[in-house]
């Protein structure tokens, strides 16, 4: 089954260096005929290949701001990690006002949706009590959700069954705008300012509902210079206008970095893990029931959380320091003016419209019997391979090459060591054949020069 992916390969730039195949967490990439190839059924849009490709052959296919022309009223959704891109003298209100001034009619903080998801997660964990799957796993990162669908389908029931803060905020923004403007829903454009490609994939190809409330996902790196230019010529009145908006609490802003979501859940029994390979290690432990003392896992594909997204501009370490400053400022403002902040406690979210389904891309065959036979064949092939996991064959390791061979997508001689072995074998056979031919040649058959 073909799927849309925002991570794209430029074959013209690819030199077949095999760097990406080693880093892909789902072994979705192979190098064939000197070029990388992405298996779209296995890709989870985690951005690892974008980060590591030395030739920039992998990139993110994102929406353009030009799409604003398609709608009568345009709304920007500011992700919590957007704040981390801008340090002093910029503050929260200046960033939001500058974002609006690049051409949007309104701006909503996705941190409001984060506050709502937090409150609903707390409620759900209390209601379920001991019946809750332990640990519950955040569903905010779409790359992690897709990873679980593929590699850990038995953990799907552990996912928090609520839409992401992006979707929750988009739904609120659309509903309020319809009431305020009288426009039909399809005339309202909602643009998420995204730190990573996985969010656009989640918009185009939703996992638990028919259609996303978001119309477009625009890279943070695209809007960054536009916001920066507006910050340099900031209209004081537009800043004052945003101070009248209902604001997200510090907890919602804290979602921008790893651990931020967990800190708001009123539990000490949580684990926050970032980086897709570390996430896999933790999910392995959960699957093998070695994490019984944890109530909640916050898992982020990107190092540092969303502030480490591949489409951000700021370094994730400086971004963390900036984000912390925004959190402190929000806490201080909340103490002085609590009435300015959005009350997320009264909103009860529905659980997922459609259950998350497993992705069988890693299955060897739909027929269990045939799959077992293929598994045994793979084990035998692996025993005959050198076990160096060098990647020269175009697969990430010998196990993956063996699987490709069984599936008819590669041959044993794709392994350079097996190829050399075969060449030596053929050479030896040719020498032996020539020797045998010479031994059976009769003396009279040899013509001598008598001159």
């Amino acid at each position: 089954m073909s799927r849309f992916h925002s991570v794209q390969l430029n074959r013209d730039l690819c030199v077949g260096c095999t760097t990406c195949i080693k880093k892909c967490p789902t072994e979705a990439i192979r190098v064939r005929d000197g070029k990388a190839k992405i298996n779209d059924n296995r890709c989870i849009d985690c951005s690892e290949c974008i980060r590591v490709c030395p030739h920039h052959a992998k990139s993110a296919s994102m929406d353009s701001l030009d799409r604003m022309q398609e709608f009568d009223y345009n709304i920007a959704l500011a992700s919590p990690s957007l704040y981390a891109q801008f340090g002093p003298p910029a503050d929260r209100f200046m960033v939001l006002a500058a974002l609006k001034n690049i051409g949007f009619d309104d701006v909503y903080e996705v941190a409001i949706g984060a506050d709502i998801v937090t409150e609903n997660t707390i409620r759900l964990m209390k209601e379920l009590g001991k019946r809750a799957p332990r640990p519950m796993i955040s569903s905010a990162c779409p790359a992690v959700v897709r990873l679980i669908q593929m590699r850990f389908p038995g953990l799907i029931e552990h996912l928090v069954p609520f839409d992401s803060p992006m979707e929750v905020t988009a739904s609120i923004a659309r509903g309020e705008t319809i009431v305020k403007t009288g426009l039909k829903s399809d005339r309202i454009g909602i643009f998420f300012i995204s730190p990573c490609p996985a969010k656009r994939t989640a918009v185009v190809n939703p996992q638990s509902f028919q259609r996303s409330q978001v119309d477009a996902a625009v890279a943070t790196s695209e809007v960054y210079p536009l916001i920066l230019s507006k910050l340099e010529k900031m209209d004081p009145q537009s800043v004052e206008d945003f101070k009248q908006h209902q604001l997200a609490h510090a907890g919602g802003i804290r979602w921008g970095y790893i651990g931020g979501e967990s800190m708001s859940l009123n539990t000490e029994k949580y684990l926050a893990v970032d980086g897709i390979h570390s996430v896999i290690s933790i999910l392995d432990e959960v699957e093998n029931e070695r994490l019984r003392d944890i109530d909640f896992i916050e898992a982020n594909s990107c190092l540092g959380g969303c502030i480490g997204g591949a489409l951000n501009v700021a370094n994730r370490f400086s971004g963390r320091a900036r984000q912390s400053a925004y959190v402190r400022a929000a806490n201080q403002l909340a103490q002085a003016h609590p009435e300015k902040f959005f009350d997320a406690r009264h909103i009860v979210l529905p659980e997922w419209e459609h259950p998350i389904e497993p992705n069988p891309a890693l299955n060897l065959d739909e027929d269990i019997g045939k799959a077992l036979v293929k598994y045994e064949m793979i084990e035998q092939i692996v025993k005959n391979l050198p076990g160096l996991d060098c990647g020269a064959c175009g697969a990430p390791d010998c196990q993956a090459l063996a699987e490709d061979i069984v599936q008819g997508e590669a041959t044993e001689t794709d392994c350079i060591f097996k190829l050399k072995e075969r060449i030596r074998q053929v050479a030896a056979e040719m020498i032996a054949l020539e020797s045998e031919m010479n031994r059976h040649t009769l003396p009279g058959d040899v013509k001598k020069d008598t001159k």
Side-chain angles (χ1 to χ4, degrees), residues 88-148:
D91 62 22
R92 176 183 185 180
F93 304 107
M94 293 172 65
V95 172
L96 294 173
L99 176 58
K100 180 181 177 181
N101 289 342
I102 69 175
F104 289 102
D105 297 292
D106 206 350
V107 173
Y108 278 72
E109 293 182 285
V110 172
I112 287 177
D115 285 334
I116 295 171
V117 174
T118 294
E119 291 295 333
N120 279 267
T121 302
I122 292 172
R123 173 185 56 78
L124 181 65
M125 292 174 71
K126 285 182 179 178
E127 288 179 356
L128 292 178
K130 294 182 179 180
R131 295 182 292 112
R134 287 172 60 91
M136 296 196 77
I137 303 172
S138 170
S139 56
C141 178
V144 170
V145 173
R146 292 180 188 278
L147 173 71
I148 290 174

Side-chain angles (χ1 to χ4, degrees), residues 83-91 231 322 326:
Y83 302 120
Q85 312 309 303
F86 305 95
D91 62 22
L231 286 172
R322 291 173 177 173
Y326 283 101

Side-chain angles (χ1 to χ4, degrees), residues 7-18:
V7 172
Q8 302 291 319
L9 168 69
N10 186 332
R11 288 179 58 85
D12 293 336
L13 295 178
C14 179
V15 299
C17 67
T18 74

Side-chain angles (χ1 to χ4, degrees), residues 15 55 80 111 123 160 164 190 225 249 289 318:
V15 299
H55 305 285
R123 173 185 56 78
V160 173
S164 69
I190 298 183
H249 287 270
E289 300 184 351
S318 60

Side-chain angles (χ1 to χ4, degrees), residues 96-212:
L96 294 173
L99 176 58
K100 180 181 177 181
N101 289 342
I102 69 175
F104 289 102
D105 297 292
D106 206 350
V107 173
Y108 278 72
E109 293 182 285
V110 172
I112 287 177
D115 285 334
I116 295 171
V117 174
T118 294
E119 291 295 333
N120 279 267
T121 302
I122 292 172
R123 173 185 56 78
L124 181 65
M125 292 174 71
K126 285 182 179 178
E127 288 179 356
L128 292 178
K130 294 182 179 180
R131 295 182 292 112
R134 287 172 60 91
M136 296 196 77
I137 303 172
S138 170
S139 56
C141 178
V144 170
V145 173
R146 292 180 188 278
L147 173 71
I148 290 174
Q149 287 178 277
M150 187 184 306
R151 288 192 57 165
F152 305 96
L155 300 183
I156 289 177
E157 65 176 12
H158 290 251
L159 288 167
V160 173
F162 300 127
D163 290 344
S164 69
M166 174 187 73
E167 290 292 341
V168 172
T169 308
S171 181
I172 291 173
R174 190 177 296 279
E176 290 184 351
T177 303
I178 289 173
V179 172
K180 181 172 66 175
T181 66
L183 291 170
K184 292 184 177 179
S185 178
D186 61 358
R187 302 313 306 154
I188 300 168
I190 298 183
F191 291 70
F192 176 67
I193 311 304
S194 179
C196 73
K199 292 292 188 181
R200 183 174 185 237
T201 304
V203 168
V204 178
N205 187 21
Q207 296 161 303
S208 61
F209 42 88
Q210 294 294 335
R211 184 181 184 277
S212 172

Side-chain angles (χ1 to χ4, degrees), residues 423-443:
I423 290 173
R424 286 195 295 269
Q425 180 182 349
V426 171
E429 290 174 354
M430 291 180 66
I431 291 171
L433 179 61
E434 184 178 359
S435 175
E436 184 70 13
M437 291 178 65
N438 289 337
R439 192 169 65 84
H440 287 86
T441 299
L442 298 175

Side-chain angles (χ1 to χ4, degrees), residues 143-399:
V144 170
V145 173
R146 292 180 188 278
L147 173 71
I148 290 174
Q149 287 178 277
M150 187 184 306
R151 288 192 57 165
F152 305 96
L155 300 183
I156 289 177
E157 65 176 12
H158 290 251
L159 288 167
V160 173
F162 300 127
D163 290 344
S164 69
M166 174 187 73
E167 290 292 341
V168 172
T169 308
S171 181
I172 291 173
R174 190 177 296 279
E176 290 184 351
T177 303
I178 289 173
V179 172
K180 181 172 66 175
T181 66
L183 291 170
K184 292 184 177 179
S185 178
D186 61 358
R187 302 313 306 154
I188 300 168
I190 298 183
F191 291 70
F192 176 67
I193 311 304
S194 179
C196 73
K199 292 292 188 181
R200 183 174 185 237
T201 304
V203 168
V204 178
N205 187 21
Q207 296 161 303
S208 61
F209 42 88
Q210 294 294 335
R211 184 181 184 277
S212 172
Q213 288 289 336
V214 178
D215 295 291
V218 180
T220 299
S221 56
E222 181 177 346
V223 302
Y224 174 82
L226 303 176
I227 294 176
L228 201 60
S229 66
K230 296 298 181 181
L231 286 172
E232 294 173 353
K233 301 176 182 179
M234 180 55 61
D235 174 19
Q237 185 56 50
S238 62
V239 177
E240 289 300 317
D241 290 343
F242 264 97
K243 291 183 179 181
Q244 308 310 314
H245 281 53
Q246 281 198 305
L247 304 170
H249 287 270
I253 296 176
R254 199 160 47 208
W255 273 54
Y257 53 71
I258 187 65
E261 178 183 0
S262 302
M263 292 178 194
S264 303
L265 291 179
N266 301 330
T267 178
E268 295 180 355
K269 297 180 179 181
Y270 73 83
L271 184 154
V273 55
D274 58 338
I276 194 67
H277 295 286
S278 296
V279 169
I280 290 172
S281 298
I282 291 299
L283 294 180
D284 273 327
E285 292 197 30
V286 177
E287 189 172 57
N288 293 315
E289 300 184 351
R290 294 198 298 268
L291 277 178
R292 297 177 179 271
D293 57 337
I294 299 295
D295 289 336
F296 182 81
I297 291 179
E298 176 186 344
N300 277 271
S301 171
C302 296
L303 288 170
C306 289
I307 59 172
L311 304 181
N312 283 335
V313 175
N315 176 285
R316 73 174 186 272
F317 299 104
S318 60
R320 172 63 184 258
R322 291 173 177 173
Q323 194 81 357
S324 296
Y326 283 101
V327 170
R328 288 193 299 271
N331 275 325
Q332 292 168 3
L333 184 61
Q335 291 176 3
H337 299 284
E339 74 281 357
K340 290 181 175 292
F341 288 80
F342 185 90
D343 186 0
R345 294 171 297 179
H346 68 283
I347 297 182
V348 177
L349 293 177
E351 296 188 13
W352 280 331
E353 182 180 340
H354 301 286
I356 294 288
E357 297 290 339
N359 176 3
L362 298 184
N363 293 350
L364 294 174
D365 200 285
E366 294 181 0
D367 185 291
I368 296 178
K370 292 180 180 179
L372 289 173
V373 172
K374 288 183 178 181
Y375 178 79
E376 293 176 358
M377 293 171 63
I378 289 172
E379 292 298 297
Q380 290 300 317
I381 293 172
V382 168
K383 290 178 182 179
N384 293 325
L385 294 175
L388 298 177
D389 297 338
C390 63
C393 63
D397 51 41
C398 293
Q399 180 78 25

